[in-house]
Amino acid sequence: MDTTLSKVDCYLRTCPSRTVLEAIANKWAALLVDTLRHGTLRFGELRRRLDGITQKSLTQGLRTLERDGMVVRTVYPTVPPRVEYSLSPLGHSVADLMSGIRSWSEEHLLEILDARDAYDNRPEPAPVS
């Protein structure tokens, strides 16, 4: 990997920072990071907390975050193996941002639902001639 990038700019189509933005902009990634900011959890605990996430989405989300250095996966040599997930220092550095996005979403939910309803029920505009 080239660590001497001459220009990091998400607005450039070839910039690798877009892959980072894509990874953290995912709804499950945001919720995983926000959930793990409170402490270490096992897979089943994460799945119960993130209502509606599929096993596949949870596995993919955790793997992506682990690959990107934001989540640490610890496997204990027990029978059956015990696996725990926690945030790395890098994951903690983005956790406040994810928490803020979640809080903002909850805080402004009614305004957004009203805006969607108004948009969906507006009359068709007259054609421009």
Side-chain angles (χ1 to χ4, degrees), residues 8-110:
V8 177
D9 183 350
C10 274
Y11 292 100
L12 298 175
R13 99 178 96 169
T14 58
C15 185
S17 64
R18 281 193 180 186
T19 63
V20 176
L21 182 61
E22 181 180 5
I24 64 172
N26 172 289
K27 80 173 171 188
W28 292 124
L31 292 172
L32 277 166
V33 169
D34 190 45
T35 300
L36 288 170
R37 72 193 298 253
H38 302 291
T40 300
L41 293 171
R42 295 176 71 177
F43 188 91
E45 294 170 314
L46 286 165
R47 188 152 183 212
R48 282 188 294 279
R49 177 65 182 120
L50 300 173
D51 188 34
I53 193 168
T54 63
Q55 183 169 336
K56 179 180 178 183
S57 292
L58 180 53
T59 299
Q60 287 175 337
L62 287 167
R63 283 184 183 160
T64 298
L65 291 169
E66 182 183 9
R67 181 175 182 246
D68 288 347
M70 290 182 255
V71 165
V72 175
R73 179 178 184 262
T74 305
V75 180
Y76 295 93
T78 60
V79 178
R82 188 176 94 225
V83 181
E84 295 179 340
Y85 298 91
S86 59
L87 291 181
S88 68
L90 183 62
H92 278 289
S93 73
V94 76
D96 285 342
L97 174 63
M98 298 304 195
S99 178
I101 291 169
R102 180 196 48 78
S103 294
W104 184 92
S105 299
E106 292 172 348
E107 185 178 321
H108 296 281
L109 176 62
L110 294 178

Side-chain angles (χ1 to χ4, degrees), residues 106-121:
E106 292 172 348
E107 185 178 321
H108 296 281
L109 176 62
L110 294 178
E111 294 168 73
I112 292 169
L113 292 176
D114 287 345
R116 288 177 183 173
D117 188 50
Y119 180 90
D120 292 344
N121 292 309

